Amino acid sequence: MKVKALNRTKASTTRATPSDLRPVHKNLNPASHPLPRAREYTRAITAAKLDRMFANPFVGELKGGHVDGVNCIGVCRTNLLPVVSGGVDGTVRIWDLQSRTMVKNLEAHSRCVSGVVFGHGGMFYSCGEEGLVKAWSCFPKQSAGDSSDEDSEGYAKKPSSVKRMETDEESPFGPFNTYRLPSVRSSHNSVAFHSIDHHWAISQFATASSDSAVHLWDPNRTSPVTSFSNLWGSDDTVTTVRYNPAESNLIAHCSNDRGIGLHDTRTASALAKTILGMKSNCLEWNPMEPYMFVVGNEDYNAYTFDMRKLKRPTSMYKGHVGAVMSVSWSPTGTEFVTGSYDKTIRIFNARKEGGTASHMGSSSTGIARDIYHTKRMQRVFCTAYTSDHKFILSGSDDTNLRLWKARSSEKIGQLSSREEASLQYRSALVQKYAHLPEVKRIAKSRRIPKLVKKQTAEAIVQKEKKRRKEGNVVKHSKPGTKSFTDERGKVVVKTVD
Amino acid sequence: MFRSRHLPTSFPPTNHITMSSPPAAKKQKHTNNTAGNSISRGPSHSQIIQRRQKAKDALSSLPADKKASVLERYHGSSTASHRLHTLRHDDKHEDTSNLSSYQLRNLQKRRSNPNTHRGIQRFAECKETKRLENAMEAMHAEEILHDYNSGLIEVETDMERTTQLTQEKLKQDMLEENVARNIYNLELQDYSPYIMRYDRSGRYSLLCGRKGHVAVIDQHTMGLSTEFHLGEVTRDACFLHNGTMMAVAQERNVFIYDENGAEVHRLDGHKRVFGMEFLPYHWLLATIGHAGFLQYQDTSTGEIVSQHRTKMGPCHTLRQNPHNAVLHLGHTNGTVTLWSPSSSEYLVKMLCHKGSAVTSLAIDRSGTYMATGGGDNKVRIWDLRMYKETHYYKTYGGPPVCMDISQTGILGVGHGCHANFWRGEGLKVKVDDMYMKHECSGSGPLESARFRPFEDVCGIGHAGGVSSIVIPGSGEPNLDSNEHFTNPYMDNKQRRETEVRSLLEKLRPDMIALDPDVIGSIEESNLIQKQQRLRDLAESADAKKAAEKEASKSKKQKKKMRGRNKISKKLARKQKNVIDEGTEKLKEAREQERVEKEREQKNRNDGDDHDNDAPAALRRFFNA
C-alpha cells in the first residue's frame, strides 16, 4: 500500500530574506472562495468610498499674485511650464508652474488686460482695454550674440525680424513690439480690445475690439493686415475671437448681440451666425475634434455646437447657477472645464461614454463630473487646462490663481506598479457595480457651497414650473397648434447666413 | 451659407455622404455573412457548436482526475439554461386563464412550433460553450499555478483495504517524519472530556477541557502557546478570525481571551451557551444555548447584530454552511433549521431524524451536502439543493456524536470510541467501504472531531484527552493569498495587514442569504410570472383598500371638542352659574317673545289649515 500525505514546507510559503517579496499563491478552485459576489460588491463600495476619501483636488495657489482680479490666463501650446496671466490692474505676470512662483511682473497696460495668448517660440501677446496689443517673451532675452535662429529648443528665441518700435523700456521680457489701431492713435476714447487669439500654425494673431470688428495682425506690422468690421450688419462689440485649430482660415467669434459667428479670413466673407437667447461669454474649439466648439453662456449653461449645424447645439451642459465666464478644453478633447460667476469650477465630460473617468460622477453628458470650489475663491473669470491634461488653472476675482488636479482623487507623482494595479482594479470594480444605488450614491456625492445648493434647488423648481406651464399651454390650445419643443431646440433664437 | 467647400478633407463626412450609399452597404453585409466572417456579429451558431464539440472532445481525452476538476466547474448553475428550463416549464403549464390574448397567441404558436425558444436556446448554448471553454482554461492554469497535489492512499492488490491502515503503522513505516509528527495522543484525564478545534489557517489548535482547562498548541512547533485554567465548566470554545483570539463558552457567559490567555471581553448577552461558530467573512460570532436563543455578535464592533428565539428548546448542534454563511441548527426533536441574521424565522426546516434528536451535523465546503447524525444511530446525507436525503450510513456502537467534512470532502464521524472516515464520493453516492478507521480504545467516548485545514490531519477530542491522526487526502493542498488568515506561515506584519484588509472587506450581516449570488444580480424577468405577480399585488392592494374602507365605515366618528380649555372659555364657564339681574331680565324678555311668536304662528296655522292640504300646484291661490 502506498501512502502520500501533504508535506508542506515552510520555505514554500515564506520569503528567504527580508528583502525578498513574499510568495503569492493562487487557488483557482471556486469552492475555496466562498461568497464571491458579496465580497466583490463590498470591495466595490469600499473602492467608491476610498475614491471620495482621496478626492483632494486643490493643489495650491500661485504665490505672489495680482493685486486685482485675474482676468485672463494664457497657456503655452508647446511647453508645459510657462503660464501667463493678465489682471484687471493692467499687469501681466509670468509664472513657473513647477515651483508655483511668479517669474516676472510686467506693467503691461494702463487698463484691464483683456487677453493673453502664446504665439510661437515663447512669444506671447497681451491686449488691453486701453487699445494696445504688446508682444512679450516669457523667457528672458539673451545677449545679442546668443539669439541665433538655430536654437534647438525652438521656443527660447525671439523672432529676429521683429522691428523694435519702443526702445525706452529695456526689460528682458519685452515688450518687443506694440500694436495699435491706426485710426485712433493717441486718442482718449480709443477702441478697447476684448480678446486676442494666435493662429495655431503661422505667425498671425486676431483681436476682437469694441468697434465691432475683428482685426488680423502680422507680428511684423504695426497695423492690422485685415479688418472685418460691421459683421452681419451688427454694430455690437465682438467679445471673443478664436482660430480653428485645423482649418487655417476659419475664425469663430462671440459678440454682444448674443451671436456666435464663423468667418473665413481668405474671402472676408461671413459664413454663418447663430443667435442664442443670451450672450455667450467665451468660446473654445475642441482641439481633437476641430469641427466642435463649446460656448459658455450668460444663461448659466455651456453648449457644444457642430460648426456645420448651428441651428441646434449638440449638447447642453447644465449645473452652474451663475453665468459661465470661461471655458477650456482638455488637450484630449474629451472633457472641458468651466469657470462661473457662481464661484465654482465644473468639469464636464463631453462624450457620452468612454470618458477618462466617467464613473466618477455622472456617466452621461450634461451634468458636471466634478465641482471644485474653495471658501475663498470668488467669481471665476478664467480657466485653463495644462497641456499634460493633469491640472487645471483658475483665476478669480479674489486676485488668486489656483492650481487644481483635473481628476480629484488622482495621486500626483509616479505610481508603483502595485499601486497602479490596485487603482485600476478599484476603478474597474466601481464601474462594474456603478448601476447599484449604494455605489452610485457614494460615487456621485459632492459637497457644494450652501448657496449654490440652494440656488440649484430653486432652479429645479423653476424648470419644473416652466415645464408645467408649457404642458398647460399645449393641453389647452387647439389640438395641433402647439407642441412641446425639446430643451436644445429652444437654445438658438435664429440663425443668419 | 457655410458650405463643405471650406471643410478640410480630414473632417468626418457629413450625414448625407454616408446616407447616399445604403444599397452598397447592405450588399457588403450580405457577402460577409455568406463568407462566415462577420466580425461585428460575433461567432455564428454553427461556429459555437463546432467550438463546443471541440472542447468536448478535448475533455473526453483528458485523464479522469482532470476531467473531474473541469466538470466540477462546468456543472454550476447557469442562468441562461435555467431560464430556458423555466420557460419550457411555464409553457407546459395547463392553466392559461390568466394569460392575455397576446400571450395566449404566442403560447399556441410556440406549442405548435418544434423550435420553441430557439433564440434563448442558442444563447444558452453559447453560454455553455463559453463556460466549458473557461473551465478547460482554468484547469490548464491550475496545472501551472497549483504547486501541491492532494494526499492519497493507493491500494496495490485487490485484497488490501485502506481501512487496514492503523495510525501506528502510518507513523512508523509509511510517512515522512515531518508528517508523522502529526500523529500523537495527549492523555489529559484531569479536565476531560476535551474538544479540539483549529483556526482558519490550521496552524493553531484549541484544546478545551470540560472542567475548565483551555490550551492553544502551535502545530508547527508543537509547543504550547497558551494554557490557562478557568475553574468552571467550559462547554465550547472556538477561535475568532485568527489564532490570536478565542471565545470560550463558560458556565454563565461567553468570554473572549487573547493569545496570552488574558480576558479581553465578557459577553453578557450570551447565557449558558452550548455551541459557537465564527463566520469569518462577516466577523460574526454566533451562539446557541440552553434557552434556544440564536445570537449573532459582531466581534469587530461588539454589537449584537440580531437574536432569534428558535422556540425549539436547548440546542447543542450548531454548524455554519461555508458556502453561504447560513447557520444550521440541529434540534432535539430531530429537525434541522437554517438561519440567517436578517430573518427572525428559520429559512428552512427539515425533519432529518424522525423520533430521535440530531446529535451532530456537518456541511461540505461547496454547500451542496449536509451530513446529520441522529439518535437513531444513522448518518444521513442530504442534498441541500433539493433538501432531500440521498442516502445514509449506519453506525454501530453509539450514535454519531461528532462529525466533520474536510476541505476535500472526506466525511469523518465519531461515535462511541470510534472515528470512521468516508471518501469524498461517499457524500454523493452510498459507498460500501469506509476510507479509514480509528479507535480510541480505553479513552472513552469521542467528544469532537475536526479536520485541520490545509493539512491531512484530523484532531479528535475525547474523554481521555486529545488525539491527532493523519487522514491522507483530507486537506486542501493549495493555499490562496487572497483569502485572509489562511496562510499558516503568516508573519506578524502580514497578519496586521490582513486584519485591516479583511475588516475593510467585512460583509454586512444582511448579506447572508440562501443563495449567495443574489447580491448584485438583477431579478430575472419571466414575463408570465412577472405579470402574474403584478396582478396578485394589485389584487391584494385592492383587497386591502376595500377592507380599510369597510373598517372605516363601521367605525363611529369620534366627536372632537376643540378648545375646551381656552382661558376665555374657562372664565365664561365660571360666569355661567352667577345669577345676574340684567341677564335674568333679558332671559325673561326673550321667553316672552318666544311665547308670542308661537302663539302667532298657531293662529296663522289655524286660519290656513286647508292650504297645506291643497295640492302643490294650487297652493299659490290660497296664499294670494
Side-chain angles (χ1 to χ4, degrees), chain A residues 98-333:
Chain A
Q98 198 165 28
S99 57
R100 301 210 299 269
T101 49
M102 191 178 71
V103 176
K104 181 69 183 167
N105 177 16
L106 305 167
E107 299 285 342
H109 298 277
S110 60
R111 285 174 65 191
C112 173
V113 183
S114 48
V116 281
V117 68
F118 269 90
H120 301 301
M123 291 292 291
F124 68 91
Y125 302 91
S126 68
C127 67
E129 290 197 340
E130 84 279 23
L132 290 180
V133 176
K134 288 183 180 175
W136 314 82
S137 171
C138 66
F139 300 106
K141 194 188 70 168
Q142 310 291 307
S143 62
D146 286 354
S147 65
S148 55
D149 277 6
E150 52 268 25
D151 192 328
S152 60
E153 290 291 314
Y155 53 77
K157 66 179 184 200
K158 176 174 72 81
S160 53
S161 53
V162 169
K163 207 162 61 183
R164 299 290 289 276
M165 297 298 294
E166 295 178 16
T167 47
D168 52 338
E169 210 176 329
E170 267 306 325
S171 158
F173 296 93
F176 298 113
N177 218 338
T178 304
Y179 310 90
R180 72 177 95 215
L181 290 174
S183 54
V184 287
R185 194 173 298 186
S186 73
S187 157
H188 284 296
N189 45 1
S190 59
V191 172
F193 286 116
H194 288 301
S195 175
I196 185 167
D197 192 34
H198 197 275
H199 197 281
W200 287 70
I202 56 172
S203 279
Q204 190 188 56
F205 62 88
T207 56
S209 52
S210 57
D211 59 350
S212 79
V214 169
H215 305 281
L216 302 187
W217 305 75
D218 187 328
N220 299 328
R221 292 166 64 176
T222 50
S223 55
V225 180
T226 325
S227 295
F228 307 103
S229 58
N230 206 4
L231 295 158
W232 292 280
S234 159
D235 282 337
D236 278 296
T237 307
V238 180
T239 53
T240 312
V241 58
R242 288 290 178 264
Y243 275 104
N244 187 306
E247 179 66 69
S248 56
N249 296 305
L250 189 65
I251 282 182
H253 75 260
C254 303
S255 54
N256 265 350
D257 64 346
R258 304 170 293 151
I260 304 164
L262 301 174
H263 50 100
D264 190 327
T265 55
R266 292 171 301 190
T267 58
S269 68
L271 296 174
K273 185 178 185 181
T274 184
I275 293 178
L276 310 187
M278 290 179 91
K279 194 184 108 184
S280 300
N281 286 323
C282 46
L283 183 148
E284 288 295 336
W285 290 99
N286 186 332
M288 284 292 139
E289 293 166 332
Y291 56 97
M292 301 287 283
F293 63 85
V294 60
V295 291
N297 203 277
E298 284 277 322
D299 65 0
Y300 307 173
N301 296 335
Y303 304 103
T304 47
F305 281 94
D306 186 332
M307 71 173 185
R308 296 163 298 184
K309 290 172 232 159
L310 289 181
K311 277 192 177 136
R312 238 172 118 76
T314 52
S315 333
M316 55 194 295
Y317 301 89
K318 299 194 283 192
H320 277 299
V321 290
V324 180
M325 301 305 290
S326 70
V327 57
S328 171
W329 282 100
S330 86
T332 57

Side-chain angles (χ1 to χ4, degrees), chain A residues 2 4 7 13 25 247, chain B residues 6 152 154 176 178 481 489:
Chain A
K2 262 190 198 165
K4 198 185 131 240
N7 186 3
T13 44
H25 304 273
E247 179 66 69
Chain B
H6 295 298
L152 54 101
E154 256 177 29
E176 296 154 68
N178 193 23
S481 306
Y489 294 97

Side-chain angles (χ1 to χ4, degrees), chain B residues 420-487:
Chain B
N420 299 338
F421 298 91
W422 277 271
R423 266 179 227 280
E425 295 88 68
L427 289 175
K428 289 168 188 156
V429 287
K430 185 156 186 168
V431 290
D432 298 331
D433 292 340
M434 242 179 260
Y435 180 48
M436 286 185 84
K437 271 180 181 176
H438 180 69
E439 226 168 278
C440 307
S441 46
S443 48
L446 260 60
E447 191 71 11
S448 82
R450 290 289 175 126
F451 286 102
R452 185 173 159 196
F454 306 107
E455 293 286 349
D456 289 344
V457 175
C458 180
I460 297 169
H462 46 74
V466 293
S467 314
S468 170
I469 59 173
V470 167
I471 307 291
S474 69
E476 166 67 49
N478 290 295
L479 299 168
D480 194 292
S481 306
N482 280 348
E483 290 291 326
H484 302 312
F485 302 118
T486 54
N487 180 4

Side-chain angles (χ1 to χ4, degrees), chain A residues 1-15 22-43 45-46 50 244 246-247 250 262 264 266-267 269-272 290-291 307-309 418 433 435-436 438 497, chain B residues 1-2 6-8 11-12 14 72-73 138 141 146-154 156 160-161 165 170 174-176 178-179 281-282 322-324 365 454-456 472 475-483 489 491 494 504-508 511 517 519-521:
Chain A
M1 214 178 301
K2 262 190 198 165
V3 174
K4 198 185 131 240
L6 269 178
N7 186 3
R8 213 179 286 284
T9 54
K10 195 181 174 182
S12 70
T13 44
T14 48
R15 50 186 180 174
R22 290 191 172 86
V24 172
H25 304 273
K26 273 254 175 277
N27 187 342
L28 295 182
N29 190 353
S32 55
H33 307 286
L35 308 160
R37 266 282 184 71
R39 285 161 70 194
E40 199 179 51
Y41 175 62
T42 312
R43 252 180 260 147
I45 292 174
T46 316
L50 283 178
N244 187 306
E247 179 66 69
L250 189 65
L262 301 174
D264 190 327
R266 292 171 301 190
T267 58
S269 68
L271 296 174
Y291 56 97
M307 71 173 185
R308 296 163 298 184
K309 290 172 232 159
R418 285 175 68 198
Y433 288 97
H435 62 285
L436 291 180
E438 202 173 7
D497 278 352
Chain B
M1 176 58 203
F2 173 58
H6 295 298
L7 280 175
F11 279 7
T14 47
E72 197 179 324
R73 282 208 179 75
H146 289 188
D147 35 22
Y148 280 99
N149 289 322
S150 198
L152 54 101
I153 305 176
E154 256 177 29
E156 280 166 339
E160 279 181 336
R161 292 280 173 275
L165 270 180
L170 272 177
M174 307 261 190
L175 296 175
E176 296 154 68
N178 193 23
V179 186
Y281 295 103
H282 303 78
H323 173 62
N324 55 10
R365 192 164 64 147
F454 306 107
E455 293 286 349
D456 289 344
E476 166 67 49
N478 290 295
L479 299 168
D480 194 292
S481 306
N482 280 348
E483 290 291 326
Y489 294 97
D491 56 35
Q494 271 176 311
L504 274 176
E505 287 176 19
K506 188 178 86 169
L507 304 185
R508 285 194 307 239
M511 284 180 172
D517 286 341
I519 290 175
S521 62

